[in-house]
Amino acid sequence: MKKLPEVTLVFWIMKIAATTLGETGGDLLAQTMRVGYAVSSLILIAVFLASLAAQLGARRFHPVLYWSVIWSTSTAGTTISDFMNRTAGLGYLRGAVVLLAALGAVFAVWKLSGRPFDVTRVTGFRGELLYWTAILFSNTLGTSLGDFLSDDTRLGFGGGALLIAGVIALIHLARHLTAISTTLLFWIAFVLTRPLGATTGDFFSKPVAKGGLGYGTIGASLILAAVLLALIAYQTQRVRVLSPTPS
């Protein structure tokens, strides 16, 4: 049965909100609460596995379950990326290259499995497992890309977010004006929404002196959580209206 949401404007808004919350939430645990990147990664990977098990065990689409997994992949991806790039010393660019290669390997396995890449046709346990594995690596990759743009270039948090938003806008135009595969465009946009979330999250949370708005990880997380929860409530109501429970 179909367990994934329709790819609409609301989907992309929720994806950006969830991944931005993942950035601020990961930083809240690792930095503000001083848990550290390694321990934070282990905690958040456990949260990801628990939410993934619930999602895989469901028989239909549940917005709360689906977006919990998206959020957990974003949060875990933040701390995994930071551990690789900062604690392990890879650096943002090399870390992004490693993660890009890992994501390519996931897609290669997906291709060899014979299952379609089209997210509107993802069904079955194995198909969904490949889908979520790709999402975990794409969100981790996105964190490295976002940090690279924000810290290793002169763009800063706001400039990095504007650049990625512009690229996503071009992808949207390509979907309507070119014959490029919509599935390919989807996955490119899906990867890019993560660095958009990373740079936007940093823009909300970092001090004004560093180019941010100064809300801090707690304030930014609360704002983003409120937005995401409101959209989940809206989507849940839509699902109930469109798929009423048989009497």
Side-chain angles (χ1 to χ4, degrees), residues 145-181:
L145 289 175
D147 288 341
F148 170 73
L149 290 175
S150 299
D151 296 345
D152 288 0
T153 71
R154 297 181 179 180
L155 293 173
F157 304 123
L162 288 175
L163 174 63
I164 299 167
V167 175
I168 292 174
L170 291 176
I171 292 172
H172 176 71
L173 290 176
R175 179 178 181 274
H176 294 281
L177 301 177
T178 72
I180 299 174
S181 167

Side-chain angles (χ1 to χ4, degrees), residues 34-46:
R34 298 184 178 181
V35 175
Y37 297 125
V39 176
S40 296
S41 296
L42 293 175
I43 293 172
L44 294 171
I45 288 173

